[in-house]
Amino acid sequence: DTEVTQTPKHLVMGMTNKKSLKCEQHMGHRAMYWYKQKAKKPPELMFVYSYEKLSINESVPSRFSPECPNSSLLNLHLHALQPEDSALYLCASSQYGETILGEYTFGSGTRLTVV
Amino acid sequence: GNSVTQMEGPVTLSEEAFLTINCTYTATGYPSLFWYVQYPGEGLQLLLKATKADDKGSNKGFEATYRKETTSFHLEKGSVQVSDSAVYFCALRLGGGGSNYKLTFGKGTLLTVNP
């Protein structure tokens, strides 16, 4: 298995809803990442987990809450989002911890619309 | 800081035309360089990479050579196909800790290939 699987592929949520995005990989990668991509823009890093511990938070608002229950799974919990949070959310993983130059493998993303 | 500059496009070509997408970088240190491709509605796929000066990355007919003297990593393909229509991102990554570990992306180049 050489994939990063993200679910759901599409999500529409209201500003008062709570929802979660899920990301899974079975490649034994020890670093996992959340990126946010707005239309016609490059991805922007949000969070990095290295060996299941949060190592980087790129000053992301607290309405986004990451969680790494085990080495294969990464969640992003969403609460009280704003319409401007609508974007493609990409998960990625890499073979080593984030300080070593392993390749990134990206998932296909969750397209989130906040109404 | 680290940065990547790539031609923004859009680039429109006819099938079987020659493709060049320019990419230059600024980095403190010796980065690894990457080209990622994003097909419509999908996540990012690693197209090719080079980890040291004069390395040539290649995949699916695409090539790019790591030129340290010109700090460049231009993407080329001799004969494009309609199926190559996508957004192409040049990116760099450094080793070590702190913020150097993360991928720094260019703004992306939209390529459209017409039959």
Side-chain angles (χ1 to χ4, degrees):
Chain A
D1 188 353
T2 58
E3 291 186 346
V4 173
T5 302
Q6 290 188 243
T7 54
K9 292 196 180 303
H10 301 274
L11 178 63
V12 179
M13 61 184 291
M15 289 188 284
T16 58
N17 292 159
K18 288 185 179 181
K19 296 287 185 183
S20 296
L21 310 184
K22 180 181 174 181
C23 172
E24 201 163 4
Q25 56 88 14
H26 297 287
M27 296 177 281
H29 289 181
R30 302 313 301 270
M32 297 185 76
Y33 312 80
W34 280 115
Y35 280 82
K36 174 182 179 180
Q37 187 181 23
K38 301 285 278 185
K40 301 185 180 181
K41 297 289 187 182
E44 298 176 355
L45 183 66
M46 301 174 71
F47 302 104
V48 180
Y49 273 82
S50 179
Y51 295 91
E52 299 151 56
K53 296 190 186 307
L54 181 65
S55 61
I56 295 290
N57 176 341
E58 293 282 305
S59 303
V60 178
S62 59
R63 59 186 183 268
F64 296 91
S65 175
E67 178 195 21
C68 189
N70 58 58
S71 61
S72 299
L73 186 58
L74 184 66
N75 297 320
L76 185 63
H77 302 299
L78 313 173
H79 174 55
L81 294 193
Q82 303 298 311
E84 59 265 28
D85 296 321
S86 299
L88 181 67
Y89 288 84
L90 293 165
C91 175
S93 68
S94 64
Q95 186 173 6
Y96 307 107
E98 82 278 9
T99 59
I100 302 176
L101 294 176
E103 290 179 16
Y104 279 44
T105 301
F106 281 87
S108 296
T110 295
R111 189 161 298 281
L112 174 68
T113 303
V114 181
V115 297
Chain B
N2 305 319
S3 66
V4 175
T5 302
Q6 63 178 106
M7 55 189 288
E8 291 189 28
V11 175
T12 303
L13 297 173
S14 297
E15 207 164 23
E16 300 184 1
F18 185 85
L19 169 71
T20 299
I21 301 178
N22 290 337
C23 172
T24 58
Y25 68 89
T26 302
T28 53
Y30 301 100
S32 289
L33 301 174
F34 307 86
W35 277 100
Y36 283 87
V37 58
Q38 187 172 31
Y39 297 102
E42 297 187 11
L44 274 71
Q45 299 177 25
L46 178 65
L47 181 60
L48 53 84
K49 68 175 184 179
T51 57
K52 61 183 187 296
D54 299 325
D55 268 2
K56 177 185 282 189
S58 61
N59 185 26
K60 300 181 181 180
F62 290 90
E63 293 183 341
T65 301
Y66 189 142
R67 301 287 188 200
K68 183 181 172 185
E69 62 276 13
T70 55
T71 62
S72 65
F73 193 55
H74 304 321
L75 182 68
E76 297 183 337
K77 186 176 185 183
S79 176
V80 294
Q81 305 299 312
V82 172
S83 57
D84 294 327
S85 299
V87 179
Y88 292 81
F89 291 98
C90 185
L92 68 81
R93 191 180 184 204
L94 288 159
S99 61
N100 281 344
Y101 65 90
K102 66 182 182 181
L103 277 174
T104 299
F105 287 96
K107 292 186 176 181
T109 301
L110 173 62
L111 170 66
T112 301
V113 180
N114 295 318

